[in-house]
Amino acid sequence: MITPDQLESSLFEFVSGLAATDPAHDLSHTLRVVGNAKRFALQEHADLAVVIPAAWLHDCVTLPKDAPDKNTASQQAAATAVDLLRRLGCEDALLAPIRHAIEAHSHSAGIAPETLEARVVQDADRIDALGAIGVARCCLVGGALGNPLYHLSDPFCEQRQPDDSEFCIDHFYQKLFPIAETLHTGAARREAANRIGFMHLYIAQLKREL
Protein backbone atom coordinates (compact mmCIF):
# COMPACT_ATOMS: atom_id res chain seq x y z
CA MET A 1 0.00 0.00 0.00
CA ILE A 2 1.36 3.42 -0.95
CA THR A 3 2.25 5.75 1.95
CA PRO A 4 0.70 9.25 2.23
CA ASP A 5 4.05 10.89 1.44
CA GLN A 6 4.62 8.68 -1.59
CA LEU A 7 1.09 9.38 -2.80
CA GLU A 8 1.50 13.16 -2.53
CA SER A 9 4.81 12.98 -4.39
CA SER A 10 3.18 10.99 -7.20
CA LEU A 11 0.21 13.35 -7.35
CA PHE A 12 2.46 16.40 -7.52
CA GLU A 13 4.39 14.81 -10.39
CA PHE A 14 1.15 13.97 -12.22
CA VAL A 15 -0.46 17.39 -11.75
CA SER A 16 2.77 19.17 -12.73
CA GLY A 17 2.54 17.52 -16.14
CA LEU A 18 -0.99 18.73 -16.90
CA ALA A 19 -1.61 21.60 -19.29
CA ALA A 20 -3.75 24.44 -17.92
CA THR A 21 -6.80 25.38 -19.96
CA ASP A 22 -6.83 28.92 -18.57
CA PRO A 23 -4.40 31.04 -16.51
CA ALA A 24 -6.48 30.77 -13.32
CA HIS A 25 -6.42 26.96 -13.23
CA ASP A 26 -2.71 26.24 -13.38
CA LEU A 27 -0.35 24.39 -11.05
CA SER A 28 -0.15 27.34 -8.65
CA HIS A 29 -3.94 27.20 -8.18
CA THR A 30 -3.76 23.50 -7.35
CA LEU A 31 -0.96 24.09 -4.84
CA ARG A 32 -3.00 26.80 -3.11
CA VAL A 33 -6.11 24.59 -3.01
CA VAL A 34 -4.08 21.75 -1.47
CA GLY A 35 -2.71 24.14 1.16
CA ASN A 36 -6.18 25.53 1.92
CA ALA A 37 -7.65 22.03 2.09
CA LYS A 38 -5.05 20.81 4.55
CA ARG A 39 -5.59 23.81 6.83
CA PHE A 40 -9.37 23.58 6.71
CA ALA A 41 -9.32 19.79 7.20
CA LEU A 42 -7.20 20.09 10.31
CA GLN A 43 -9.45 22.79 11.75
CA GLU A 44 -12.63 20.87 10.90
CA HIS A 45 -11.29 17.38 11.77
CA ALA A 46 -11.88 16.02 8.28
CA ASP A 47 -10.18 12.89 6.93
CA LEU A 48 -6.93 13.96 5.29
CA ALA A 49 -6.71 10.63 3.44
CA VAL A 50 -9.72 11.77 1.41
CA VAL A 51 -9.17 15.52 1.37
CA ILE A 52 -5.56 15.59 0.18
CA PRO A 53 -5.90 13.38 -2.95
CA ALA A 54 -9.16 15.11 -3.87
CA ALA A 55 -7.55 18.53 -3.55
CA TRP A 56 -4.56 17.51 -5.67
CA LEU A 57 -6.76 16.06 -8.41
CA HIS A 58 -9.83 18.33 -8.30
CA ASP A 59 -8.83 20.00 -11.59
CA CYS A 60 -7.03 17.11 -13.27
CA VAL A 61 -9.55 17.60 -16.09
CA THR A 62 -10.50 21.19 -16.85
CA LEU A 63 -12.46 22.72 -19.68
CA PRO A 64 -12.40 26.28 -21.03
CA LYS A 65 -14.66 28.73 -19.21
CA ASP A 66 -16.87 29.08 -22.29
CA ALA A 67 -16.99 25.35 -23.18
CA PRO A 68 -20.56 24.09 -23.67
CA ASP A 69 -19.92 20.98 -21.54
CA LYS A 70 -18.03 22.76 -18.76
CA ASN A 71 -20.49 21.47 -16.17
CA THR A 72 -19.17 17.93 -16.70
CA ALA A 73 -15.51 18.75 -16.01
CA SER A 74 -15.54 17.74 -12.34
CA GLN A 75 -17.13 14.39 -13.16
CA GLN A 76 -14.50 13.79 -15.84
CA ALA A 77 -11.82 14.78 -13.33
CA ALA A 78 -13.24 12.41 -10.72
CA ALA A 79 -13.17 9.47 -13.13
CA THR A 80 -9.59 10.26 -14.15
CA ALA A 81 -8.57 10.64 -10.51
CA VAL A 82 -10.05 7.31 -9.44
CA ASP A 83 -8.27 5.49 -12.27
CA LEU A 84 -4.97 7.12 -11.32
CA LEU A 85 -5.35 6.50 -7.59
CA ARG A 86 -6.24 2.86 -8.18
CA ARG A 87 -3.08 2.43 -10.26
CA LEU A 88 -1.02 4.11 -7.54
CA GLY A 89 -2.30 1.68 -4.92
CA CYS A 90 -4.69 3.94 -3.05
CA GLU A 91 -6.96 2.08 -0.62
CA ASP A 92 -10.19 1.02 -2.35
CA ALA A 93 -12.39 2.31 0.48
CA LEU A 94 -11.12 5.85 -0.13
CA LEU A 95 -11.96 5.99 -3.83
CA ALA A 96 -15.70 6.64 -3.56
CA PRO A 97 -15.40 9.54 -1.07
CA ILE A 98 -12.54 11.03 -3.10
CA ARG A 99 -14.63 10.75 -6.26
CA HIS A 100 -17.53 12.53 -4.58
CA ALA A 101 -15.32 15.30 -3.22
CA ILE A 102 -13.94 16.00 -6.69
CA GLU A 103 -17.34 15.83 -8.39
CA ALA A 104 -18.91 18.19 -5.85
CA HIS A 105 -16.19 20.85 -5.79
CA SER A 106 -17.35 22.51 -9.02
CA HIS A 107 -19.85 25.36 -8.98
CA SER A 108 -21.06 24.58 -12.49
CA ALA A 109 -21.64 20.87 -11.75
CA GLY A 110 -24.38 21.67 -9.24
CA ILE A 111 -23.57 18.61 -7.08
CA ALA A 112 -24.14 19.14 -3.35
CA PRO A 113 -21.23 18.03 -1.12
CA GLU A 114 -22.62 15.33 1.16
CA THR A 115 -19.57 14.68 3.33
CA LEU A 116 -17.37 16.87 5.50
CA GLU A 117 -14.42 16.06 3.25
CA ALA A 118 -16.31 17.17 0.13
CA ARG A 119 -17.32 20.38 1.88
CA VAL A 120 -13.70 21.05 2.85
CA VAL A 121 -12.46 20.52 -0.72
CA GLN A 122 -15.20 22.69 -2.19
CA ASP A 123 -14.43 25.45 0.32
CA ALA A 124 -10.69 25.17 -0.34
CA ASP A 125 -11.28 25.66 -4.06
CA ARG A 126 -13.78 28.49 -3.71
CA ILE A 127 -11.69 30.46 -1.24
CA ASP A 128 -9.00 30.74 -3.93
CA ALA A 129 -11.41 32.96 -5.90
CA LEU A 130 -11.34 35.57 -3.12
CA GLY A 131 -8.81 38.08 -1.81
CA ALA A 132 -5.75 39.38 -3.61
CA ILE A 133 -5.27 36.14 -5.50
CA GLY A 134 -8.96 36.19 -6.45
CA VAL A 135 -8.66 39.67 -7.95
CA ALA A 136 -5.62 38.56 -9.94
CA ARG A 137 -7.29 35.36 -11.18
CA CYS A 138 -10.43 37.25 -12.19
CA CYS A 139 -8.40 39.66 -14.29
CA LEU A 140 -6.28 36.87 -15.79
CA VAL A 141 -9.33 34.97 -17.01
CA GLY A 142 -11.14 38.09 -18.20
CA GLY A 143 -8.05 39.17 -20.10
CA ALA A 144 -7.65 35.74 -21.69
CA LEU A 145 -11.27 36.00 -22.90
CA GLY A 146 -10.64 39.50 -24.25
CA ASN A 147 -12.98 41.22 -21.79
CA PRO A 148 -12.35 44.82 -20.69
CA LEU A 149 -11.80 45.51 -17.00
CA TYR A 150 -15.02 47.47 -16.47
CA HIS A 151 -18.13 48.97 -18.06
CA LEU A 152 -17.29 52.55 -19.04
CA SER A 153 -20.43 54.28 -17.82
CA ASP A 154 -21.31 52.04 -14.85
CA PRO A 155 -18.16 50.22 -13.68
CA PHE A 156 -19.62 48.99 -10.39
CA CYS A 157 -23.05 47.73 -11.52
CA GLU A 158 -24.94 50.50 -9.73
CA GLN A 159 -27.60 50.94 -12.44
CA ARG A 160 -27.44 47.59 -14.26
CA GLN A 161 -27.20 43.86 -13.68
CA PRO A 162 -23.64 42.50 -13.68
CA ASP A 163 -22.54 40.55 -16.74
CA ASP A 164 -19.22 38.80 -16.20
CA SER A 165 -19.25 37.48 -19.77
CA GLU A 166 -18.49 41.07 -20.78
CA PHE A 167 -16.55 42.78 -17.95
CA CYS A 168 -13.99 41.56 -15.40
CA ILE A 169 -15.18 43.67 -12.47
CA ASP A 170 -18.75 42.45 -12.99
CA HIS A 171 -17.51 39.02 -11.90
CA PHE A 172 -17.00 40.41 -8.37
CA TYR A 173 -20.71 41.17 -8.11
CA GLN A 174 -22.06 38.24 -10.09
CA LYS A 175 -20.07 35.41 -8.54
CA LEU A 176 -17.20 36.31 -6.20
CA PHE A 177 -18.88 38.29 -3.42
CA PRO A 178 -21.73 35.73 -3.14
CA ILE A 179 -19.19 32.91 -2.60
CA ALA A 180 -19.10 33.66 1.12
CA GLU A 181 -22.72 32.57 1.44
CA THR A 182 -21.94 29.19 -0.15
CA LEU A 183 -19.09 28.18 2.16
CA HIS A 184 -19.75 25.30 4.53
CA THR A 185 -16.97 25.29 7.12
CA GLY A 186 -16.21 27.78 9.84
CA ALA A 187 -12.56 27.74 8.82
CA ALA A 188 -13.42 28.85 5.29
CA ARG A 189 -15.97 31.45 6.39
CA ARG A 190 -13.42 33.10 8.67
CA GLU A 191 -10.88 33.24 5.84
CA ALA A 192 -13.50 34.54 3.41
CA ALA A 193 -14.39 37.48 5.66
CA ASN A 194 -10.79 38.65 5.58
CA ARG A 195 -10.41 38.19 1.83
CA ILE A 196 -13.70 39.87 0.90
CA GLY A 197 -12.73 42.78 3.10
CA PHE A 198 -9.63 43.24 0.96
CA MET A 199 -11.70 43.06 -2.22
CA HIS A 200 -13.96 45.86 -1.01
CA LEU A 201 -10.86 47.94 -0.33
CA TYR A 202 -9.71 47.21 -3.89
CA ILE A 203 -13.07 48.35 -5.28
CA ALA A 204 -12.93 51.51 -3.16
CA GLN A 205 -9.45 52.30 -4.45
CA LEU A 206 -10.50 51.61 -8.03
CA LYS A 207 -13.43 54.03 -7.63
CA ARG A 208 -11.01 56.73 -6.54
CA GLU A 209 -8.81 56.12 -9.56
CA LEU A 210 -11.53 56.16 -12.24
Side-chain angles (χ1 to χ4, degrees):
M1 190 69 66
I2 192 168
T3 69
D5 287 345
Q6 290 171 334
L7 180 60
E8 275 212 79
S9 177
S10 296
L11 295 180
F12 173 78
E13 182 178 358
F14 174 76
V15 171
S16 297
L18 298 176
T21 54
D22 69 67
H25 292 87
D26 56 4
L27 178 60
S28 66
H29 166 67
T30 297
L31 293 173
R32 291 190 301 272
V33 171
V34 170
N36 293 334
K38 288 178 178 179
R39 288 188 291 108
F40 295 167
L42 290 171
Q43 293 180 56
E44 301 293 331
H45 307 291
D47 187 353
L48 288 169
V50 173
V51 167
I52 291 175
W56 274 111
L57 297 171
H58 78 284
D59 277 344
C60 66
V61 174
T62 58
L63 298 173
K65 185 177 177 65
D66 53 355
D69 57 344
K70 182 173 174 55
N71 64 326
T72 69
S74 69
Q75 294 167 71
Q76 294 182 47
T80 298
V82 166
D83 287 344
L84 173 65
L85 291 168
R86 187 176 283 117
R87 292 198 305 272
L88 290 174
C90 184
E91 186 180 343
D92 284 346
L94 297 174
L95 297 180
I98 291 170
R99 175 190 288 272
H100 173 63
I102 294 174
E103 288 178 338
H105 91 272
S106 169
H107 183 273
S108 60
I111 298 171
E114 297 177 354
T115 64
L116 173 59
E117 290 71 29
R119 291 190 286 271
V120 164
V121 173
Q122 188 185 89
D123 283 0
D125 180 58
R126 291 187 179 184
I127 206 74
D128 199 50
L130 302 178
I133 199 69
V135 172
R137 291 178 72 213
C138 176
C139 293
L140 279 170
V141 173
L145 293 172
N147 295 340
L149 182 61
Y150 56 85
H151 187 285
L152 292 179
S153 61
D154 187 4
F156 307 107
C157 304
E158 294 169 339
Q159 304 296 328
R160 62 183 179 86
Q161 291 298 310
D163 182 0
D164 64 1
S165 68
E166 294 291 333
F167 306 102
C168 296
I169 293 300
D170 284 31
H171 193 56
F172 284 40
Y173 300 98
Q174 187 166 337
K175 185 174 180 182
L176 301 187
F177 287 146
I179 282 176
E181 302 302 318
T182 73
L183 299 173
H184 304 279
T185 63
R189 289 193 293 269
R190 289 188 292 272
E191 179 68 17
N194 176 271
R195 294 191 182 205
I196 288 177
F198 168 82
M199 295 170 74
H200 283 297
L201 290 175
Y202 172 81
I203 290 291
Q205 178 64 26
L206 185 60
K207 284 182 178 180
R208 287 192 288 269
E209 294 178 12
L210 296 184

Short mmCIF file of all heavy atoms in Angstrom, two decimals, residues 5-35:
data_model
loop_
_atom_site.label_atom_id
_atom_site.label_comp_id
_atom_site.label_asym_id
_atom_site.label_seq_id
_atom_site.Cartn_x
_atom_site.Cartn_y
_atom_site.Cartn_z
N ASP A 5 2.99 10.06 2.03
CA ASP A 5 4.05 10.89 1.44
C ASP A 5 4.34 10.47 0.00
O ASP A 5 4.54 11.32 -0.88
CB ASP A 5 5.33 10.81 2.27
CG ASP A 5 5.23 11.58 3.58
OD1 ASP A 5 4.30 12.40 3.72
OD2 ASP A 5 6.09 11.35 4.46
N GLN A 6 4.39 9.17 -0.24
CA GLN A 6 4.62 8.68 -1.59
C GLN A 6 3.47 9.08 -2.51
O GLN A 6 3.70 9.46 -3.67
CB GLN A 6 4.77 7.15 -1.58
CG GLN A 6 6.04 6.64 -0.94
CD GLN A 6 6.04 5.13 -0.75
OE1 GLN A 6 4.97 4.51 -0.64
NE2 GLN A 6 7.22 4.54 -0.71
N LEU A 7 2.25 9.02 -2.00
CA LEU A 7 1.09 9.38 -2.80
C LEU A 7 1.15 10.86 -3.18
O LEU A 7 0.94 11.22 -4.34
CB LEU A 7 -0.20 9.08 -2.04
CG LEU A 7 -1.50 9.42 -2.78
CD1 LEU A 7 -1.60 8.64 -4.08
CD2 LEU A 7 -2.71 9.15 -1.89
N GLU A 8 1.43 11.73 -2.21
CA GLU A 8 1.50 13.16 -2.53
C GLU A 8 2.59 13.46 -3.55
O GLU A 8 2.41 14.30 -4.43
CB GLU A 8 1.73 13.98 -1.26
CG GLU A 8 0.46 14.31 -0.51
CD GLU A 8 0.54 15.63 0.20
OE1 GLU A 8 0.39 16.70 -0.44
OE2 GLU A 8 0.75 15.59 1.43
N SER A 9 3.72 12.78 -3.42
CA SER A 9 4.81 12.98 -4.39
C SER A 9 4.37 12.57 -5.79
O SER A 9 4.63 13.28 -6.77
CB SER A 9 6.04 12.16 -3.96
OG SER A 9 7.08 12.28 -4.91
N SER A 10 3.66 11.45 -5.89
CA SER A 10 3.18 10.99 -7.20
C SER A 10 2.13 11.93 -7.75
O SER A 10 2.10 12.21 -8.97
CB SER A 10 2.61 9.58 -7.07
OG SER A 10 3.62 8.65 -6.71
N LEU A 11 1.26 12.44 -6.89
CA LEU A 11 0.21 13.35 -7.35
C LEU A 11 0.80 14.68 -7.81
O LEU A 11 0.34 15.26 -8.80
CB LEU A 11 -0.83 13.55 -6.25
CG LEU A 11 -1.63 12.31 -5.87
CD1 LEU A 11 -2.63 12.63 -4.76
CD2 LEU A 11 -2.33 11.70 -7.07
N PHE A 12 1.80 15.17 -7.09
CA PHE A 12 2.46 16.40 -7.52
C PHE A 12 3.09 16.20 -8.89
O PHE A 12 2.96 17.07 -9.78
CB PHE A 12 3.53 16.81 -6.51
CG PHE A 12 4.37 17.97 -6.97
CD1 PHE A 12 3.88 19.27 -6.91
CD2 PHE A 12 5.64 17.76 -7.48
CE1 PHE A 12 4.64 20.34 -7.35
CE2 PHE A 12 6.41 18.83 -7.92
CZ PHE A 12 5.91 20.12 -7.85
N GLU A 13 3.76 15.08 -9.09
CA GLU A 13 4.39 14.81 -10.39
C GLU A 13 3.34 14.74 -11.49
O GLU A 13 3.52 15.30 -12.58
CB GLU A 13 5.16 13.50 -10.32
CG GLU A 13 5.90 13.15 -11.60
CD GLU A 13 6.71 11.87 -11.49
OE1 GLU A 13 6.73 11.27 -10.39
OE2 GLU A 13 7.32 11.47 -12.50
N PHE A 14 2.21 14.10 -11.22
CA PHE A 14 1.15 13.97 -12.22
C PHE A 14 0.55 15.34 -12.55
O PHE A 14 0.41 15.70 -13.73
CB PHE A 14 0.06 13.03 -11.70
CG PHE A 14 -1.15 12.94 -12.59
CD1 PHE A 14 -1.11 12.22 -13.77
CD2 PHE A 14 -2.33 13.61 -12.26
CE1 PHE A 14 -2.23 12.14 -14.59
CE2 PHE A 14 -3.44 13.54 -13.07
CZ PHE A 14 -3.39 12.80 -14.25
N VAL A 15 0.19 16.09 -11.54
CA VAL A 15 -0.46 17.39 -11.75
C VAL A 15 0.50 18.37 -12.44
O VAL A 15 0.07 19.18 -13.27
CB VAL A 15 -0.97 17.95 -10.41
CG1 VAL A 15 -1.46 19.38 -10.57
CG2 VAL A 15 -2.10 17.08 -9.88
N SER A 16 1.78 18.27 -12.11
CA SER A 16 2.77 19.17 -12.73
C SER A 16 2.86 18.98 -14.23
O SER A 16 3.26 19.89 -14.96
CB SER A 16 4.15 18.94 -12.11
OG SER A 16 4.16 19.25 -10.74
N GLY A 17 2.47 17.80 -14.71
CA GLY A 17 2.54 17.52 -16.14
C GLY A 17 1.29 17.89 -16.91
O GLY A 17 1.26 17.74 -18.13
N LEU A 18 0.26 18.38 -16.22
CA LEU A 18 -0.99 18.73 -16.90
C LEU A 18 -0.89 20.12 -17.52
O LEU A 18 -0.25 21.02 -16.98
CB LEU A 18 -2.15 18.71 -15.90
CG LEU A 18 -2.45 17.37 -15.23
CD1 LEU A 18 -3.57 17.53 -14.21
CD2 LEU A 18 -2.83 16.31 -16.28
N ALA A 19 -1.55 20.30 -18.63
CA ALA A 19 -1.61 21.60 -19.29
C ALA A 19 -2.83 22.36 -18.79
O ALA A 19 -3.94 21.81 -18.74
CB ALA A 19 -1.68 21.44 -20.80
N ALA A 20 -2.64 23.61 -18.39
CA ALA A 20 -3.75 24.44 -17.92
C ALA A 20 -4.60 24.91 -19.09
O ALA A 20 -4.08 25.26 -20.15
CB ALA A 20 -3.22 25.64 -17.15
N THR A 21 -5.92 24.90 -18.90
CA THR A 21 -6.80 25.38 -19.96
C THR A 21 -7.05 26.88 -19.85
O THR A 21 -7.53 27.49 -20.80
CB THR A 21 -8.17 24.66 -19.91
OG1 THR A 21 -8.71 24.79 -18.59
CG2 THR A 21 -8.02 23.19 -20.24
N ASP A 22 -6.76 27.47 -18.71
CA ASP A 22 -6.83 28.92 -18.57
C ASP A 22 -5.85 29.33 -17.47
O ASP A 22 -5.42 28.49 -16.67
CB ASP A 22 -8.26 29.40 -18.27
CG ASP A 22 -8.75 29.00 -16.90
OD1 ASP A 22 -8.20 29.50 -15.90
OD2 ASP A 22 -9.67 28.18 -16.81
N PRO A 23 -5.47 30.62 -17.43
CA PRO A 23 -4.40 31.04 -16.51
C PRO A 23 -4.79 31.01 -15.04
O PRO A 23 -3.92 31.15 -14.18
CB PRO A 23 -4.10 32.47 -16.97
CG PRO A 23 -5.32 32.93 -17.69
CD PRO A 23 -5.89 31.71 -18.33
N ALA A 24 -6.06 30.82 -14.72
CA ALA A 24 -6.48 30.77 -13.32
C ALA A 24 -6.54 29.34 -12.79
O ALA A 24 -6.78 29.13 -11.61
CB ALA A 24 -7.83 31.44 -13.15
N HIS A 25 -6.36 28.35 -13.66
CA HIS A 25 -6.42 26.96 -13.23
C HIS A 25 -5.12 26.25 -13.63
O HIS A 25 -5.12 25.27 -14.36
CB HIS A 25 -7.65 26.26 -13.83
CG HIS A 25 -8.94 26.77 -13.29
ND1 HIS A 25 -9.58 27.85 -13.83
CD2 HIS A 25 -9.68 26.37 -12.23
CE1 HIS A 25 -10.69 28.09 -13.13
NE2 HIS A 25 -10.77 27.22 -12.16
N ASP A 26 -4.04 26.78 -13.10
CA ASP A 26 -2.71 26.24 -13.38
C ASP A 26 -2.20 25.50 -12.15
O ASP A 26 -2.93 25.28 -11.18
CB ASP A 26 -1.76 27.35 -13.81
CG ASP A 26 -1.66 28.46 -12.77
OD1 ASP A 26 -2.27 28.34 -11.68
OD2 ASP A 26 -0.95 29.46 -13.03
N LEU A 27 -0.93 25.13 -12.17
CA LEU A 27 -0.35 24.39 -11.05
C LEU A 27 -0.38 25.21 -9.76
O LEU A 27 -0.62 24.67 -8.67
CB LEU A 27 1.09 23.98 -11.38
CG LEU A 27 1.85 23.25 -10.28
CD1 LEU A 27 1.15 21.95 -9.89
CD2 LEU A 27 3.29 22.98 -10.72
N SER A 28 -0.16 26.52 -9.86
CA SER A 28 -0.15 27.34 -8.65
C SER A 28 -1.52 27.33 -7.97
O SER A 28 -1.61 27.34 -6.73
CB SER A 28 0.29 28.78 -8.97
OG SER A 28 -0.66 29.44 -9.79
N HIS A 29 -2.59 27.30 -8.76
CA HIS A 29 -3.94 27.20 -8.18
C HIS A 29 -4.08 25.89 -7.42
O HIS A 29 -4.57 25.87 -6.28
CB HIS A 29 -4.99 27.29 -9.28
CG HIS A 29 -6.36 26.86 -8.85
ND1 HIS A 29 -7.11 27.57 -7.94
CD2 HIS A 29 -7.11 25.77 -9.20
CE1 HIS A 29 -8.27 26.95 -7.74
NE2 HIS A 29 -8.29 25.86 -8.49
N THR A 30 -3.66 24.79 -8.03
CA THR A 30 -3.76 23.50 -7.35
C THR A 30 -2.98 23.50 -6.05
O THR A 30 -3.47 23.01 -5.01
CB THR A 30 -3.26 22.38 -8.27
OG1 THR A 30 -4.10 22.31 -9.43
CG2 THR A 30 -3.29 21.03 -7.56
N LEU A 31 -1.78 24.05 -6.06
CA LEU A 31 -0.96 24.09 -4.84
C LEU A 31 -1.65 24.89 -3.74
O LEU A 31 -1.62 24.51 -2.57
CB LEU A 31 0.41 24.68 -5.15
CG LEU A 31 1.31 23.84 -6.05
CD1 LEU A 31 2.57 24.62 -6.42
CD2 LEU A 31 1.69 22.53 -5.37
N ARG A 32 -2.29 26.00 -4.12
CA ARG A 32 -3.00 26.80 -3.11
C ARG A 32 -4.21 26.04 -2.57
O ARG A 32 -4.49 26.07 -1.37
CB ARG A 32 -3.43 28.14 -3.70
CG ARG A 32 -2.28 29.09 -3.99
CD ARG A 32 -2.79 30.48 -4.33
NE ARG A 32 -3.68 30.51 -5.49
CZ ARG A 32 -3.29 30.65 -6.75
NH1 ARG A 32 -2.00 30.75 -7.04
NH2 ARG A 32 -4.17 30.66 -7.74
N VAL A 33 -4.94 25.35 -3.45
CA VAL A 33 -6.11 24.59 -3.01
C VAL A 33 -5.68 23.47 -2.06
O VAL A 33 -6.33 23.24 -1.03
CB VAL A 33 -6.89 24.03 -4.20
CG1 VAL A 33 -7.98 23.05 -3.74
CG2 VAL A 33 -7.52 25.16 -5.01
N VAL A 34 -4.59 22.80 -2.37
CA VAL A 34 -4.08 21.75 -1.47
C VAL A 34 -3.74 22.36 -0.11
O VAL A 34 -4.10 21.80 0.94
CB VAL A 34 -2.86 21.04 -2.09
CG1 VAL A 34 -2.19 20.13 -1.06
CG2 VAL A 34 -3.27 20.24 -3.31
N GLY A 35 -3.06 23.50 -0.10
CA GLY A 35 -2.71 24.14 1.16
C GLY A 35 -3.95 24.55 1.94
O GLY A 35 -4.03 24.33 3.17
#
